[in-house]
């Protein structure tokens, strides 16, 4: 029944877009993951055991955009029907403004300050490294998220994000970021000022820096750095056509708060069918003191229809 209601909501958005003479886009895709990992939490103890599982989802996307001169209103909704029988919403936002300035509200991901490339599977052994994304977005229904964007010059964009919540354990704060693209080079920089609701800790400030270079239309390389208090992370990754490889190294205040993860993936066409691929991927992670190494192997089937 929940699926019916959500599909009806997407259909209503489609009808509204057509009525408003907006540019309407519709698409859907399936993603199915078969994953093996050597280290997962056993349900009844603190022991570690290997596991083989399958997950995935079908994603239905609808988007619309209407313009009046250089002013515009755009919206997007992404409904997820998951293999475990649950449903969810990925993106659900509205954006409006003009060529110089715009405002985005809803459920979305803000500017990426630590792009990780082809992350088909990336698992961390124990410690999760900081990547300047605590306030990036895709928050729950009780969290308000907005981002004010300013196109200051060709290739130069400023973004000021605000996340607010009263829920225990949620992160809230502001996230100014800037991106500059000239030719094949892209520079990103931003700051997060984070307060965890209900925590006695004071507000913490994090920073993210990234340099990206496009080698060709389907190949690029990124070098990233992020820091928040005692947490520091560096990353480098590359996409060369259908292949991707990356490394992320992070450390915190203690010897246990340390991890180095390498990952790789390669997409192959599936029987030559348009929009269908299978991507074998591997992730190996070495943790800090007292932490077992973690290996994950995944085969992902994608089909856009």
């Amino acid at each position: 029944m929940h699926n019916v209601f959500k599909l009806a909501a997407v259909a209503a958005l489609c009808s509204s877009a057509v009525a408003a003479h907006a540019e309407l886009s519709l698409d859907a895709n399936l993603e199915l993951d078969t994953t093996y990992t050597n280290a997962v939490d056993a349900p009844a103890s603190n022991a570690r055991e290997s596991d083989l599982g399958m997950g995935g989802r079908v994603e239905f996307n609808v988007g619309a955009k209407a313009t009046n001169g250089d002013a515009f209103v755009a919206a997007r909704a992404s409904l997820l029907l998951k293999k475990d029988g649950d449903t969810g919403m990925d993106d659900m936002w509205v954006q409006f403004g003009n060529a110089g300035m715009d405002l985005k509200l809803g459920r979305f991901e803000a500017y990426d300050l630590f792009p990780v490339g082809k992350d088909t599977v990336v698992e961390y052994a124990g410690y999760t490294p900081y990547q300047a994304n605590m306030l990036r977005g895709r928050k729950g229904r009780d969290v308000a998220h907005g981002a004010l964007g300013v196109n200051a010059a060709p290739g130069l964009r400023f973004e000021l994000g605000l996340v607010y919540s009263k829920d225990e354990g949620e992160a809230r704060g502001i996230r100014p970021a800037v991106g500059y693209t000239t030719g094949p080079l892209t520079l990103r920089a931003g700051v997060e000022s984070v307060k965890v609701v209900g925590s006695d800790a004071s507000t913490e400030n994090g920073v993210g820096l990234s340099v990206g270079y496009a080698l060709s239309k389907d190949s690029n390389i990124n070098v990233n750095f992020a820091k928040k208090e005692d947490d520091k992370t560096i990353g480098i990754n590359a996409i060369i056509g259908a292949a991707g490889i990356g490394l992320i190294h992070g450390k915190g205040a203690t010897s246990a708060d340390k991890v180095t993860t390498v990952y790789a993936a390669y997409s192959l066409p599936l029987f030559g069918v348009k929009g269908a691929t299978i991507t074998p991927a591997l992730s190996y992670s070495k943790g800090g003191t007292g932490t077992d190494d973690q290996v994950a192997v995944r085969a992902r089937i994608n089909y856009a229809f």
Side-chain angles (χ1 to χ4, degrees):
M1 185 61 70
H2 290 296
N3 295 355
V4 173
F5 286 145
K6 290 184 178 181
L7 287 171
V10 172
L13 178 58
C14 294
S15 302
S16 300
V18 172
H21 306 289
E23 299 174 12
L24 181 67
S25 63
L26 292 168
D27 63 82
N29 66 84
L30 175 144
E31 183 177 283
L32 187 66
D33 292 333
T34 303
T35 307
Y36 167 82
T37 180
N38 74 322
V40 295
D41 288 322
S45 70
N46 293 323
R48 308 289 278 178
E49 62 179 17
S50 62
D51 187 50
L52 178 67
M54 181 179 286
R57 85 292 183 277
V58 174
E59 180 184 61
F60 293 92
N61 300 304
V62 56
K65 185 176 182 179
T67 60
N68 181 14
D70 75 340
F72 72 92
V73 177
R76 179 179 172 85
S78 299
L79 173 64
L80 303 179
L81 304 181
K82 302 179 183 180
K83 181 180 176 293
D84 62 7
D86 198 2
T87 62
M89 190 67 70
D90 206 3
D91 285 337
M92 197 288 292
W93 52 260
V94 62
Q95 185 179 26
F96 50 91
N98 54 34
M101 182 180 297
D102 56 77
L103 180 64
K104 196 171 189 178
L105 301 169
R107 179 181 169 89
F108 61 94
E109 285 189 313
Y111 206 65
D112 191 357
L113 298 175
F114 201 103
V116 293
K118 202 174 182 75
D119 60 338
T120 305
V121 59
V122 180
E123 299 287 347
Y124 299 112
Y127 171 71
T128 300
Y130 175 70
Q131 296 177 44
N133 59 9
M134 292 183 68
L135 299 177
R136 190 180 173 204
R138 286 203 177 135
K139 301 293 185 178
R141 66 178 183 178
D142 295 325
V143 181
H145 184 203
L148 176 68
V150 178
N151 299 313
L156 179 62
R157 179 174 172 83
F158 293 94
E159 182 181 270
L160 178 62
L162 173 65
V163 174
Y164 180 79
S165 175
K166 289 185 177 181
D167 286 357
E168 188 85 12
E170 285 282 358
R172 68 185 185 192
I174 60 172
R175 188 179 190 265
V178 60
Y180 178 63
T181 299
T182 175
L185 182 67
T186 298
L187 306 175
R188 306 174 180 90
V191 176
E192 291 189 315
S193 182
V194 183
K195 170 67 176 177
V196 177
V197 181
S199 170
D200 293 333
S202 60
T203 299
E204 295 184 341
N205 295 319
V207 62
L209 304 170
S210 176
V211 178
Y213 191 85
L215 304 171
S216 66
K217 67 177 182 179
D218 60 355
S219 301
N220 62 76
I221 186 170
N222 291 293
V223 179
N224 309 316
F225 172 78
K227 181 181 185 302
K228 180 175 69 69
E229 304 302 324
D230 293 322
D231 297 299
K232 298 178 182 178
T233 310
I234 59 172
I236 182 169
N237 60 78
I239 295 176
I240 310 295
I245 188 169
L247 179 147
I248 296 173
H249 172 74
K251 62 180 182 178
T254 72
S255 60
D257 296 335
K258 183 178 180 180
V259 70
T260 299
T261 300
V262 293
Y263 54 97
Y266 190 87
S267 296
L268 301 163
L270 192 59
F271 294 112
V273 174
K274 183 179 180 181
T277 60
I278 182 168
T279 303
L282 172 68
S283 169
Y284 171 75
S285 184
K286 184 175 182 60
T289 303
T291 304
D292 294 334
D293 295 353
Q294 183 158 326
V295 176
V297 181
R298 173 169 291 168
R300 170 172 290 174
I301 295 175
N302 288 102
Y303 180 41
F305 50 89

